[in-house]
Structures are given as structure tokens and as C-alpha cells.
Amino acid sequence: MLGISPQSAQASHFWAALDKLAASCQIIIDRPKNSRHPKYPEITYPIDYGYLQGTTAMDGGGIDIWKGSGNQIDAIICTIDLTKKDSEIKILIGCNEEEKQQVLAFHNNSEAMKGMLVRRA
């Protein structure tokens, strides 16, 4: 079987590493809930969006985060952007089920952008 079971030791270590990373970095919210995307003003952010300061993602910026009302990392979104020809993960922190679905819809809003939600077990 390919892949990692959400309950496996590898998965546990992955989530623990994300927790450690997030705890060691300041969260910067540069796109608050209901703000408009800087390049695509027809797109609004359903919840707070930002990054972990001092980290690096595929696009050269910080690792992206979606921040809900809680504080625990609950999931990640794996994204593919066919226009930019890149892939990233986005960390979901404190997102309830409705917020998770809003973020997932945000990342599946076009033919060029696709996202897959990976929940913490």
C-alpha cells in the first residue's frame, strides 16, 4: 500500500514537526478575512490568510497559513497551480469544518488551481 496512514508514526511525526515550526514562527496575517486578492480582485479571502515569518515556500515567500478561530493545526491543503506551474502546502490553524470547506473551495475556484485537504487524525 502506498501512502501514509493518518494514524501512523510517520504522520504523527509530520504533524509534530508542523506544530514545532508554527510555534517557533510569528504568524503574519497580510490578507484578512473578506479582503480581496491583490491580482484577482474578484476573489475574496474567506478567513484570515498569511504566512509563517522566517520560513520559505516554493514561491519564495513564507509558508502560507489559513487562520481560523482556534490555535491548533488541524489540516493542510496541498495545492497545484497550473498557471504558475507550482505546488505548495498551506497550513490550516484552528479552522472549524465550515472554514475548512471555505478554504478548500478557495483553492478549487478555477481550472488552473486545485487543492486537496489533508486532515489531521
Side-chain angles (χ1 to χ4, degrees), residues 29-70:
I29 302 298
D30 57 351
R31 298 178 191 170
K33 179 180 180 174
N34 296 323
S35 64
R36 302 250 178 225
H37 190 286
K39 291 183 182 176
Y40 308 101
E42 68 279 6
I43 297 174
T44 59
Y45 290 87
I47 65 173
D48 289 342
Y49 183 74
Y51 61 95
L52 296 177
Q53 188 173 40
T55 62
T56 306
M58 175 62 108
D59 63 3
I63 296 173
D64 296 329
I65 63 100
W66 288 96
K67 179 74 172 84
S69 54

Side-chain angles (χ1 to χ4, degrees), residues 15 17-33 35 45-59 61-79 88-95 99-100 103-104 106-107 117:
W15 294 111
L18 273 183
D19 288 338
K20 188 173 183 178
L21 179 67
S24 70
C25 299
Q26 182 178 356
I27 294 174
I28 305 297
I29 302 298
D30 57 351
R31 298 178 191 170
K33 179 180 180 174
S35 64
Y45 290 87
I47 65 173
D48 289 342
Y49 183 74
Y51 61 95
L52 296 177
Q53 188 173 40
T55 62
T56 306
M58 175 62 108
D59 63 3
I63 296 173
D64 296 329
I65 63 100
W66 288 96
K67 179 74 172 84
S69 54
N71 293 314
Q72 182 180 0
I73 295 173
D74 354 74
I76 60 172
I77 297 261
C78 300
T79 66
E88 292 186 294
I89 68 162
K90 318 288 185 173
I91 302 171
L92 280 67
I93 303 173
C95 294
E99 291 166 331
K100 284 181 181 84
V103 169
L104 187 59
F106 182 92
H107 287 292
L117 182 69

Side-chain angles (χ1 to χ4, degrees), residues 58-59 79-88 112-113:
M58 175 62 108
D59 63 3
T79 66
I80 294 287
D81 186 326
L82 298 174
T83 302
K84 294 188 325 188
K85 296 184 179 180
D86 75 0
S87 176
E88 292 186 294
M113 172 70 80

